[in-house]
Amino acid sequence: MNLSASIRARCSSSRIDLLWLQLGLIVLVGILAYSNSFHVPFILDDNYGISYFGASKISDLLLHGSARRLVDVTFAMNSHIHGNWLPGYHITNLVIHLATAITLYAFVHAAIDSQRRTDAVKEPAFVERFVPFATALFFVCHPLQTQAVTYIIQRYTSMAALFYLASALAFIRARCAFELGHNRQKVWLWGTACLIAALAAIGSKQNACTLPLMLILLEWTLFRGRLLNRRFYMACGALFLVIPAVLLYEWHQGTLDDFLYDLGQATTDNQYMARTTYFLTQTRVVVTYLRLLVLPVHQNLFYDYPIYNSLFSAPVLASLALHGALLITAFVLVRISGNSLSSAEWPRRACLRLAATGIGWFYIALAVESSFIPIRDVIFEHRIYLPSAGFFMTIAALTALAVCNHRTGKRSAWSLLAVGVLVLCGLTLARNHVWSDSLTLWQDTAQKSPNKGIVLANLASEYLQRNMPDQSLRYFSRAIELNPNLDFRAKSGLGLSLKCLNIFDSRFTTGQEYILPGGLLNGGTLDFGKLPEWDSTISNNRGLAYEYLGEYDKAWNVYQNAVWINPAYDLAWYNLGLLSSKLGDKEEVAKAIGQLKKLNPPMAAALASLTHH
């Protein structure tokens, strides 16, 4: 073996050793960060989803399942294997998260390698050693990822991200093989892997439909757009023309108006929010995501986020200015990186292009959930899971760019990375501790969003399950007051709380009599044929809750609402009469007794006796 071959062999061995060392550290840090998450209980959609998929056949889910059937199948497999054993679900989620971090590491490596235009035998450049490792480390241990990893049902998000990154990685490998003139078999192999991973991503979550735009971004930033002027561009244009025509035929076999109507329905999850309002609000939401990535404090399961309707409000204008500045920065970074990466300056220029790619990645990956498609909740932390890869990529690349020519700066970068990872791991462990108990989680959420009805209803349910009816009554009352459209489970929880108190036994019914058995996976369903009776019962129970809490004016108002909804509801008249007597309103007492004489004479006599009429 000659000297050149010996040096090349040692360098290759050094690269492989470094690769395995860094991958091992990424996995170790990820396991450490989520080591206290394995017994986090099922919450919210977890309960329904796990029950549903556990009762389904895997073949049915694959052949006739939802648009997210690949993930649904993994839930079914978890259910069949683990039943209700929590660690099984969390281990699966963590494995997917670790695999996503490793794929991100490989993707950044491939992106940097695509910029290398020298055959010189050297040790890996600092950018090759630092940027992929730092990007993957930040991604795997950042506390903002907890909602996508610890919240079991959000496996949709992490699996989609895994396949999305795998598709982008395969695209880069295919392009590099094409650029270097490798045999066509290798190009087609990576191209096929890109397509399969893309289909898997779309079969995991709909936000993966941005992948074609992402590949165009990669072509422009990493390969200077050479392929966009050739067959690739023409093929993409043809696909965009063919796909709508196919969908139009499959959906309605009808008119263009039918197609446009269905397209509008498919891209509207929230029927009560205009697209412009949602977009303007998202300009602020994306700034919040950036703030949480930089400073991950005050995380929240359900944000009570303000809605913005005007383009000319100061927060919206400031947000648009920030987004515009970042996008212009990405364009400038590509421009100043130059058109050739063949000189000795290639690591610096590779950092510039990678930083630009990260900015574009962030915005494209958010394009579905933070644009003109109204979704019920304007902000959720799990939506930043895939976009965060671009953010971390940019931060790592710019850091490497700043220190790549300074030996002391490189040591400082490694030190800052170690400190940053330790801090982020600590924050992730702390956030997972909040998730570790459902009561702790809802208490934390209610403290941060005290005026969000669904949050208080879930906190009330936790108190009820723990036989703390005085607390559950308080929060159920407030939840319904804030959001009268809460589902029947929350509203019936008010009656169950009253029942546990054992002080108003003859003055209410729980409302359970209007819930039909079966349906919603045996959780019951509301009998909508008796909706007025149901509504008046809930108003009556709210009145008793307010009486218990000493809020008599509110109690009187909801009793009035109960008898207005259902004038034949004797218990509501009885409670209205008792409260009116306590408030000294003799006229209302007399009116209540008069109504009860028609509806329930014994109850009228009892009310008259208690109020001395």
Side-chain angles (χ1 to χ4, degrees):
M1 181 181 294
N2 58 36
L3 181 60
S4 176
S6 176
I7 294 174
R8 184 175 285 105
R10 285 199 300 271
C11 288
S12 176
S13 175
S14 173
R15 286 175 181 272
I16 293 173
D17 291 344
L18 177 66
L19 173 74
W20 285 109
L21 174 63
Q22 291 188 338
L23 287 177
L25 287 173
I26 291 166
V27 171
L28 185 63
V29 168
I31 293 173
L32 172 64
Y34 288 89
S35 59
N36 62 338
S37 70
F38 298 130
H39 294 280
V40 170
F42 297 136
I43 67 159
L44 292 174
D45 296 344
D46 287 344
N47 295 294
Y48 172 82
I50 301 306
S51 299
Y52 174 79
F53 297 124
S56 303
K57 293 182 178 179
I58 293 177
S59 58
D60 289 340
L61 291 173
L62 276 174
L63 297 174
H64 311 293
S66 71
R68 303 178 177 188
R69 63 190 64 187
L70 286 185
V71 186
D72 296 344
V73 167
T74 67
F75 287 130
M77 293 174 66
N78 266 144
S79 183
H80 293 322
I81 295 171
H82 301 120
N84 289 322
W85 188 60
L86 286 167
Y89 297 88
H90 287 293
I91 290 170
T92 304
N93 274 26
L94 180 56
V95 168
I96 293 169
H97 179 52
L98 295 175
T100 305
I102 290 170
T103 306
L104 175 59
Y105 176 84
F107 167 81
V108 178
H109 250 301
I112 294 172
D113 195 49
S114 71
Q115 308 306 299
R116 191 182 182 104
R117 295 292 183 269
T118 175
D119 294 327
V121 180
K122 295 181 179 180
E123 289 290 320
F126 175 74
V127 61
E128 295 175 283
R129 288 181 281 117
F130 181 82
V131 177
F133 186 49
T135 302
L137 273 182
F138 285 142
F139 180 87
V140 83
C141 70
H142 198 284
L144 200 57
Q145 315 292 38
T146 50
Q147 195 174 104
V149 182
T150 306
Y151 185 9
I152 294 170
I153 206 70
Q154 287 309 328
R155 186 180 301 173
Y156 294 112
T157 297
S158 57
M159 270 190 68
L162 170 60
F163 292 122
Y164 196 105
L165 280 162
S167 181
L169 169 62
F171 173 78
I172 292 177
R173 291 300 186 195
R175 284 293 286 115
C176 286
F178 180 80
E179 289 284 318
L180 296 174
H182 288 174
N183 61 62
R184 289 196 172 191
Q185 185 177 5
K186 191 170 186 179
V187 177
W188 281 103
L189 181 65
W190 282 114
T192 302
C194 174
L195 178 61
I196 292 173
L199 293 174
I202 294 172
S204 298
K205 194 176 181 183
Q206 295 90 325
N207 67 341
C209 69
T210 61
L211 191 52
L213 288 176
M214 193 67 78
L215 298 185
I216 292 173
L217 171 75
L218 297 177
E219 174 65 28
W220 177 63
T221 58
L222 301 181
F223 302 97
R224 296 166 297 289
R226 286 190 293 271
L227 211 59
L228 295 178
N229 297 319
R230 303 176 65 177
R231 289 171 295 179
F232 176 79
Y233 181 80
M234 296 178 64
C236 285
L239 279 176
F240 280 115
L241 290 175
V242 170
I243 290 174
V246 171
L247 291 176
L248 176 62
Y249 178 79
E250 289 292 331
W251 282 0
H252 264 299
Q253 300 183 13
T255 66
L256 180 61
D257 288 339
D258 294 330
F259 170 70
L260 294 176
Y261 173 80
D262 281 350
L263 183 62
Q265 292 297 108
T267 57
T268 303
D269 184 55
N270 185 346
Q271 303 290 339
Y272 303 101
M273 183 177 290
R275 294 183 188 276
T276 52
T277 298
Y278 187 80
F279 172 76
L280 293 174
T281 303
Q282 287 306 307
T283 63
R284 294 292 304 147
V285 167
V286 175
V287 172
T288 300
Y289 288 148
L290 288 169
R291 193 273 298 168
L292 286 166
L293 285 166
V294 174
L295 189 65
V297 295
H298 303 299
Q299 287 183 247
N300 196 356
L301 177 59
F302 276 100
Y303 289 82
D304 192 4
Y305 208 84
I307 303 299
Y308 294 88
N309 296 294
S310 173
L311 172 64
F312 300 103
S313 64
V316 171
L317 288 174
S319 299
L320 287 172
L322 174 62
H323 302 320
L326 288 173
L327 292 172
I328 291 171
T329 299
F331 181 78
V332 170
L333 289 173
V334 172
R335 295 290 295 176
I336 66 176
S337 66
N339 296 319
S340 173
L341 296 177
S342 59
S343 70
E345 288 292 306
W346 77 267
R348 174 181 173 276
R349 296 178 181 178
C351 285
L352 290 170
R353 289 188 176 268
L354 199 60
T357 301
I359 294 172
W361 181 288
F362 179 82
Y363 283 102
I364 290 175
L366 270 174
V368 170
E369 292 164 317
S370 291
S371 59
F372 290 98
I373 302 175
I375 302 176
R376 279 190 298 269
D377 295 285
V378 297
I379 179 171
F380 258 132
E381 289 175 4
H382 66 261
R383 294 176 187 166
I384 201 65
Y385 185 80
L386 176 61
S388 70
F391 176 86
F392 299 132
M393 200 186 310
T394 298
I395 296 299
L398 292 178
T399 302
L401 178 66
V403 304
C404 63
N405 294 322
H406 306 282
R407 183 182 299 274
T408 304
K410 292 177 184 178
R411 288 198 294 267
S412 298
W414 286 113
S415 299
L416 286 173
L417 176 61
V419 172
V421 167
L422 287 174
V423 171
L424 291 175
C425 276
L427 291 172
T428 300
L429 287 166
R431 186 61 184 162
N432 280 327
H433 178 71
V434 173
W435 280 80
S436 65
D437 180 81
S438 51
L439 179 59
T440 303
L441 176 62
W442 288 116
Q443 286 174 331
D444 175 80
T445 309
Q447 182 182 9
K448 295 169 181 173
S449 300
N451 295 315
K452 202 164 182 68
I454 188 174
V455 171
L456 301 186
N458 278 283
L459 177 57
S461 295
E462 286 298 324
Y463 281 126
L464 182 60
Q465 291 176 22
R466 296 164 194 252
N467 197 28
M468 301 169 68
D470 53 336
Q471 292 289 343
S472 65
L473 193 70
R474 182 183 307 276
Y475 286 106
F476 274 131
S477 301
R478 178 61 176 159
I480 298 170
E481 181 180 321
L482 290 168
N483 185 0
N485 296 318
L486 285 172
D487 71 11
F488 70 89
R489 298 178 190 86
K491 291 182 176 179
S492 63
L494 189 65
L496 295 174
S497 298
L498 287 168
K499 186 176 181 180
C500 290
L501 286 173
N502 294 319
I503 58 175
F504 299 123
D505 290 349
S506 62
R507 298 174 60 186
F508 75 100
T509 61
T510 63
Q512 293 290 107
E513 64 270 24
Y514 300 113
I515 298 177
L516 301 174
L520 295 179
L521 286 179
N522 301 318
T525 184
L526 185 62
D527 183 355
F528 288 97
K530 296 182 177 179
L531 195 57
E533 292 91 335
W534 159 263
D535 284 338
S536 60
T537 298
I538 298 305
S539 289
N540 179 66
N541 292 349
R542 287 181 65 198
L544 287 171
Y546 286 134
E547 275 199 61
Y548 176 79
L549 297 171
E551 301 180 47
Y552 298 128
D553 289 342
K554 289 182 178 180
W556 193 87
N557 287 331
V558 293
Y559 285 143
Q560 287 281 4
N561 187 61
V563 298
W564 178 79
I565 295 172
N566 181 15
Y569 190 26
D570 51 3
L571 285 176
W573 283 112
Y574 180 77
N575 289 327
L576 179 59
L578 285 176
L579 182 58
S580 297
S581 175
K582 184 180 293 185
L583 296 175
D585 191 339
K586 295 181 180 180
E587 184 177 342
E588 283 295 330
V589 175
K591 182 178 178 181
I593 291 173
Q595 291 292 331
L596 284 173
K597 284 180 179 179
K598 302 173 188 176
L599 300 172
N600 190 332
M603 190 175 286
L607 178 59
S609 174
L610 289 171
T611 58
H612 305 294
H613 270 68

